[in-house]
Amino acid sequence: MNKLRLLLFGLSVLFLASCAKQSTPTGGPRDEDPPKLLNSNPIAESLNTKPETITLTFSEYIKLDNPSKGIVITPRIKKDEVEFTALKNVVSIKLNQDLEDSTTYVFDFQKSIVDISEENPAESLKLVFSTGNAIDSLSLSGKVNFYFPAAKPDYKDILVGIYPVGDTTDVLTAPPYYLSQVDTTGSFRITNIKNGSYLAYAWKETNGTLKAEYKSEDYDFMLDTLHLNGNIENITFNLSKADITPIRILRSSTFGQNYDIVVNRSPIEAKLGHENLGTEYFYTNADNRIRIYSTSSKPDSIPFNISLRDSVGFSKDSLIWAKFPESDRKPEKLTVSANSGKNFYRDLNVELKFNKPISKINTDSLYISYDTASVIAITESMMAFQDSAQRDILNIRLAIPDSISHEIFTVKAADSTFFDFENQVNETILSANYRKLKREGLADEISGTILNAKPPFIVQLLNSKNDLIQEQFLENSTAFSFKLVEPGTFKLRVVEDLNGNKRWDPSNFTQRKPAERVFYFYNAERQPNLVIRSGWSLQDQIIQASDPTGFKPEQK
């Protein structure tokens, strides 16, 4: 009898527990209605109020979805001190700080408040109130673009913020005073701004700090000051990455009989100075390491001038005393790689890369094969090192006559064809294939004009994978032309090369230097794709320069 009572008691407890558990109701139609705000404290548009806690009451049970990141509060407050809670149908926000006098506050909840059943977010939910006797009503709006967009630009987590002039913080050091999330089209709007002067920034927020991480996040900044005494529209930002860590030498030391210089980041230029450079001393520059090679050991330290320059314009000039002692350290093996798989028409361009400077080439074992019995000898006149002081990139150029009708040409090098300054040879055979295209299979030309920008330009023809196919440098012209193009789908990209150094320069925030403008060809459907077939000629293509960062010209 006692066992039966115990069993009935246990079943009763389980039944009551299951009844008490809060869960999503089963059955019935799906709830697609978002939660509706019934009332708030303070009420919307309240004046002369400084709440310690904000409460919002909704039409149904709700919950919070990542409120510390999803709820945008402007102007800036100490968000790490704010407490967000949701209980049944009420959201409470405990501020735990004093608000500024005569200031309009905006709590933009975006999609952070959702119903508990289907997680439908409350729509267009904002709470605006003022600690003074007026609601600030100025606004700032515009568009955010990418200089190097993905196939489908992702505007998620893109923020725009402004800082009062005189504020000791900026986008790299602290959250902004006013803030807005960019929508799915790249548009933004900051509302309820106080009259004043501001500096404006845009960036991709990936870690929840509400500030830009310049080593890993795309960002942009306006050079002009925003003097807000009325609404400002059509501001443009163009996002790109720019690591502004100044380049510097971390350490230098011997490596076997060679000498290594290690820098904190990869230089875009690394130049060494010595009267015997290119004859007795050679060097390589790979990633963040420069290695100097000597043709023989030296009893004394040798001085080298070194000049480093990074992509954002920082430079470092130093004098290095390098040592080249005798060493029992086993040298690295010599390796070689080729730009195999390239297509060509008439002129074959082969690039061979080595991990060390090359001292000698045995041309007897270096040739081009195009069938089982036919070869073309590669002579010294066809070869040139890209840099005589480095000798680690070898270019081979020759014209293949039309009389040779074969399609595949193979560059071959036997083992022990290449020798380096440490008496190492290539131990593996090199075999790199190249495909010759037929004239009748090529498109004739892609040509056109660049508008609303001034040269010099770098005009690039990219394939559907964003690989560079052809490139032109226009020093004094706005007209471009790519001839004899392999059929396919392409993009046309233009770099406004303001300083004429034949490369794109990113921004430098510390020097207040904007990135060089990058823009694209767009077809009638506003797509960047350009399709060309065999025998076609696409002429009079127009590339409209995109808006630079900042105001529209009429707003300046």
Side-chain angles (χ1 to χ4, degrees):
M1 191 66 173
N2 287 338
K3 288 182 179 180
L4 179 59
R5 287 178 180 173
L6 224 88
L7 179 60
L8 290 172
F9 177 75
L11 291 171
S12 300
V13 170
L14 287 173
F15 175 75
L16 290 172
S18 65
C19 291
K21 183 180 179 181
Q22 182 175 316
S23 62
T24 303
T26 59
R30 178 185 175 88
D31 177 15
E32 296 182 354
D33 295 328
K36 293 180 174 58
L37 181 66
L38 299 180
N39 57 69
S40 65
N41 185 19
I43 62 173
E45 308 289 327
S46 291
L47 302 178
N48 300 307
T49 180
K50 280 191 175 183
E52 296 180 356
T53 300
I54 295 169
T55 60
L56 299 95
T57 304
F58 292 88
S59 58
E60 57 184 307
Y61 282 14
I62 45 81
K63 63 180 180 179
L64 290 167
D65 183 12
N66 196 9
S68 59
K69 182 178 180 180
I71 299 176
V72 177
I73 305 172
T74 57
R76 178 177 60 206
I77 67 172
K78 298 175 184 176
K79 204 168 181 181
D80 56 344
E81 296 182 6
V82 179
E83 297 178 38
F84 302 93
T85 58
L87 181 62
K88 296 183 178 180
N89 66 329
V90 177
V91 169
S92 296
I93 304 171
K94 192 174 182 181
L95 299 176
N96 295 317
Q97 60 197 284
D98 293 329
L99 300 181
E100 296 182 23
D101 295 330
S102 302
T103 301
T104 298
Y105 283 89
V106 179
F107 285 68
D108 186 347
F109 295 91
Q110 302 190 93
K111 296 182 179 181
S112 292
I113 298 177
V114 299
D115 63 46
I116 205 167
S117 56
E118 298 293 344
E119 297 190 352
N120 299 307
E123 295 178 345
S124 304
L125 181 59
K126 285 186 180 181
L127 177 63
V128 180
F129 62 87
S130 176
T131 59
N133 55 15
I135 297 289
D136 295 323
S137 59
L138 298 180
S139 67
L140 174 70
S141 61
K143 178 81 172 178
V144 175
N145 304 307
F146 292 92
Y147 274 150
F148 300 96
K152 186 177 181 181
D154 181 11
Y155 295 102
K156 183 182 179 183
D157 299 326
I158 303 297
L159 302 179
V160 176
I162 59 175
Y163 296 70
V165 170
D167 194 333
T168 57
T169 63
D170 56 47
V171 70
L172 301 179
T173 59
Y177 196 69
Y178 291 99
L179 178 69
S180 175
Q181 179 90 38
V182 171
D183 67 18
T184 55
T185 67
S187 299
F188 70 89
R189 183 178 181 83
I190 305 176
T191 61
N192 301 100
I193 306 173
K194 184 185 295 187
N195 185 309
S197 297
Y198 299 89
L199 298 176
Y201 307 86
W203 70 100
K204 185 172 180 64
E205 173 64 44
T206 59
N207 57 7
T209 63
L210 296 182
K211 60 181 180 178
E213 304 295 336
Y214 62 84
K215 289 185 179 182
S216 58
E217 296 176 346
D218 296 77
Y219 66 98
D220 192 20
F221 54 91
M222 279 185 58
L223 293 177
D224 296 318
T225 299
L226 292 169
H227 299 290
L228 271 167
N229 49 27
N231 296 338
I232 297 180
E233 300 177 345
N234 298 321
I235 295 291
T236 299
F237 289 100
N238 297 288
L239 301 184
S240 60
K241 285 186 172 67
D243 186 349
I244 56 172
T245 305
I247 195 165
R248 66 183 188 277
I249 296 174
L250 296 178
R251 62 183 183 276
S252 60
S253 60
T254 56
F255 183 85
Q257 191 175 301
N258 310 311
Y259 196 80
D260 278 0
I261 303 167
V262 179
V263 296
N264 63 320
R265 50 197 299 248
S266 298
I268 198 166
E269 291 180 3
K271 295 182 179 180
L272 293 182
H274 190 278
E275 58 183 356
N276 293 328
L277 195 67
T279 56
E280 191 172 355
Y281 303 103
F282 301 87
Y283 73 99
T284 58
N285 177 18
D287 297 326
N288 64 337
R289 187 205 68 196
I290 300 163
R291 178 167 292 170
I292 306 175
Y293 295 81
S294 174
T295 56
S296 62
S297 61
K298 300 290 188 293
D300 299 318
S301 297
I302 308 298
F304 288 87
N305 292 310
I306 180 169
S307 179
L308 304 173
R309 183 180 175 86
D310 62 20
S311 60
V312 297
F314 289 127
S315 59
K316 177 70 175 179
D317 297 321
S318 298
L319 178 65
I320 295 291
W321 290 84
K323 298 179 180 180
F324 304 97
E326 292 185 359
S327 175
D328 294 329
R329 187 187 187 103
K330 188 176 180 180
E332 287 183 298
K333 291 183 178 181
L334 176 64
T335 62
V336 55
S337 62
N339 60 338
S340 181
K342 297 290 185 181
N343 299 335
F344 71 97
Y345 174 67
R346 288 186 176 172
D347 295 327
L348 174 58
N349 295 312
V350 179
E351 183 179 271
L352 303 183
K353 290 185 178 182
F354 304 89
N355 65 324
K356 295 191 286 182
I358 297 301
S359 62
K360 187 176 67 172
I361 300 173
N362 180 11
T363 55
D364 292 340
S365 57
L366 180 62
Y367 58 92
I368 296 172
S369 170
Y370 56 90
D371 65 24
T372 55
S374 301
V375 298
I376 301 173
I378 297 177
T379 63
E380 290 187 3
S381 63
M382 301 174 185
M383 298 185 293
F385 284 103
Q386 200 170 95
D387 189 315
S388 60
Q390 294 187 254
R391 295 177 68 93
D392 59 348
I393 299 179
L394 178 67
N395 296 119
I396 303 172
R397 294 185 174 90
L398 69 155
I400 303 296
D402 291 337
S403 57
I404 302 177
S405 59
H406 284 75
E407 181 180 6
I408 302 300
F409 291 78
T410 305
V411 175
K412 291 189 175 182
D415 61 279
S416 303
T417 296
F418 306 105
F419 298 75
D420 67 28
F421 287 99
E422 295 181 302
N423 296 317
Q424 301 295 300
V425 297
N426 62 301
E427 296 180 356
T428 58
I429 297 172
L430 173 69
S431 181
N433 293 328
Y434 301 84
R435 184 167 68 97
K436 184 182 180 185
L437 303 172
K438 296 180 179 181
R439 175 63 185 87
E440 58 268 24
L442 299 177
D444 292 338
E445 182 183 26
I446 299 175
S447 62
T449 306
I450 301 165
L451 300 182
N452 301 325
K454 295 181 180 180
F457 298 120
I458 303 168
V459 188
Q460 299 173 324
L461 185 67
L462 311 174
N463 65 14
S464 57
K465 297 179 180 178
N466 280 335
D467 298 325
L468 180 62
I469 303 302
Q470 293 189 43
E471 183 177 86
Q472 289 183 348
F473 178 70
L474 305 179
E475 187 170 10
N476 298 301
S477 175
T478 60
F480 63 90
S481 175
F482 297 102
K483 297 183 182 296
L484 301 178
V485 178
E486 191 174 358
T489 300
F490 297 94
K491 296 178 184 177
L492 286 168
R493 181 169 68 195
V494 179
V495 175
E496 190 178 32
D497 189 19
L498 298 175
N499 57 10
N501 64 359
K502 299 183 180 180
R503 64 171 180 262
W504 175 73
D505 292 324
S507 65
N508 189 319
F509 180 76
T510 59
Q511 297 178 354
R512 306 299 293 172
K513 184 185 75 172
E516 289 183 325
R517 190 161 43 151
V518 181
F519 43 91
Y520 299 79
F521 164 83
Y522 288 95
N523 59 28
E525 289 75 36
R526 292 299 300 165
Q527 297 298 316
N529 299 328
L530 189 68
V531 179
I532 192 166
R533 305 298 182 202
S534 302
W536 286 15
S537 182
L538 298 179
Q539 299 176 336
D540 302 323
Q541 304 301 305
I542 301 299
I543 302 178
Q544 291 274 3
S546 59
D547 292 331
T549 295
F551 301 93
K552 287 281 189 180
E554 63 270 16
Q555 288 184 279
K556 289 186 177 181

